[in-house]
Amino acid sequence: MNDHTHHQYDLELDGIRTRVLQMGGYVELQVVKALEGLLKGEMDVIDRVIENDHRVNELERELDEACAQIIAKRQPAANDLRTIMSVSKAVTDLERIGDEAKKIAKMAKVLHSGDAGSGIPRVQLRHLGNLAIELLRKSLDAMARLDVDAALEAHSEDKQLDTEFKSVMRQLITFMMEDPRTISRGIDVLFAAKAFERIGDHSKNLAEYVVFLVEGRDVRHVKDAQRKV
């Protein structure tokens, strides 16, 4: 590979990394707006999140195609192949986070239609939602800076989000037991809460890809991701 070709190759890789981070920023905004719609019941915000999901899907297709083209043209090896693999996996998780944001928006639309939203303690979802957004933000920041320490820190914070989800679930079960008329609405809120928990899982995956990209370590399913090999 001559210098010109190598430079062009580096530009292509940098371009893909930039585009996946742009997709991450767009998906993060979708989650932020979904939480806002859920808490405030602003239908224009809710509808926009639902409508904009198609853009997340388009970004996934575009980046998948870009990765496939680089593999076909450049036949990357070693570190470059790790980059392509990490980007490809990150794109899948980002698309799924986008799907979860859309689910939250759909639940918000149901909960705020007519008088359906009265009596449900949605405000207790604020902390859960903010934890999910913060975890996503930290994982994306670690990816942007290729910062393994930041990625491992984000990875460990998923436990806090899981604990908060279980707390919200217990609160909702208690609420529904006290007033069976709220069961239908309570289940909708629970679906929204579960979506935030899933966003945390996908964000944790993003952090794992950073470690793999930089160090070649696979920390999936490792009880203590901080452990060095």
Side-chain angles (χ1 to χ4, degrees), residues 1 5 9 12-13 66-82 84:
M1 186 182 293
T5 304
Y9 182 29
E12 289 175 6
L13 286 175
C67 288
Q69 287 179 353
I70 282 192
I71 291 172
K73 289 193 305 180
R74 306 296 188 184
Q75 297 181 339
N79 291 346
D80 292 339
L81 184 57
R82 276 213 315 261
I84 297 298

Side-chain angles (χ1 to χ4, degrees), residues 91-105:
V91 166
T92 298
D93 276 284
L94 287 172
E95 190 276 334
R96 289 174 181 169
I97 292 173
D99 287 344
E100 298 299 335
K102 183 179 179 180
K103 287 179 190 175
I104 294 165

Side-chain angles (χ1 to χ4, degrees), residues 53-159:
D53 182 61
H54 75 91
R55 180 55 185 154
V56 177
N57 296 334
E58 288 173 3
L59 291 169
E60 181 193 28
R61 286 193 295 269
E62 291 169 5
L63 279 161
D64 280 348
E65 184 178 347
C67 288
Q69 287 179 353
I70 282 192
I71 291 172
K73 289 193 305 180
R74 306 296 188 184
Q75 297 181 339
N79 291 346
D80 292 339
L81 184 57
R82 276 213 315 261
T83 297
I84 297 298
M85 289 174 62
S86 300
V87 164
S88 180
K89 290 180 178 180
V91 166
T92 298
D93 276 284
L94 287 172
E95 190 276 334
R96 289 174 181 169
I97 292 173
D99 287 344
E100 298 299 335
K102 183 179 179 180
K103 287 179 190 175
I104 294 165
K106 285 186 172 181
M107 290 300 99
K109 193 163 190 173
V110 171
L111 287 163
H112 291 286
S113 296
D115 64 349
S118 61
I120 290 289
R122 285 182 303 277
V123 68
Q124 298 186 43
L125 291 175
R126 183 185 299 276
H127 185 52
L128 178 68
N130 284 334
L131 283 175
I133 292 166
E134 185 62 21
L135 178 52
L136 173 58
R137 189 170 291 145
K138 285 183 176 181
S139 294
L140 290 171
D141 183 61
M143 185 173 290
R145 295 185 289 115
L146 298 180
D147 187 332
V148 171
D149 290 337
L152 290 172
E153 182 181 340
H155 187 276
S156 66
E157 289 183 7
D158 182 57
K159 293 177 182 177

Side-chain angles (χ1 to χ4, degrees), residues 28-39:
E28 180 187 329
L29 182 61
Q30 282 282 92
V31 179
V32 169
K33 291 300 182 182
L35 177 60
E36 179 184 328
L38 183 62
L39 295 176

Side-chain angles (χ1 to χ4, degrees), residues 203-214:
S203 299
K204 178 182 174 182
N205 291 346
L206 295 176
E208 291 172 348
Y209 303 148
V210 175
V211 180
F212 176 70
L213 194 162
V214 176

Side-chain angles (χ1 to χ4, degrees), residues 120-121 125 167-177 185-186 189-190 193:
I120 290 289
L125 291 175
S167 174
V168 169
M169 183 170 61
R170 286 193 297 269
Q171 293 161 3
L172 284 169
I173 290 171
T174 300
F175 189 82
M176 290 184 284
M177 288 176 64
R185 285 172 284 151
V189 175
L190 186 57

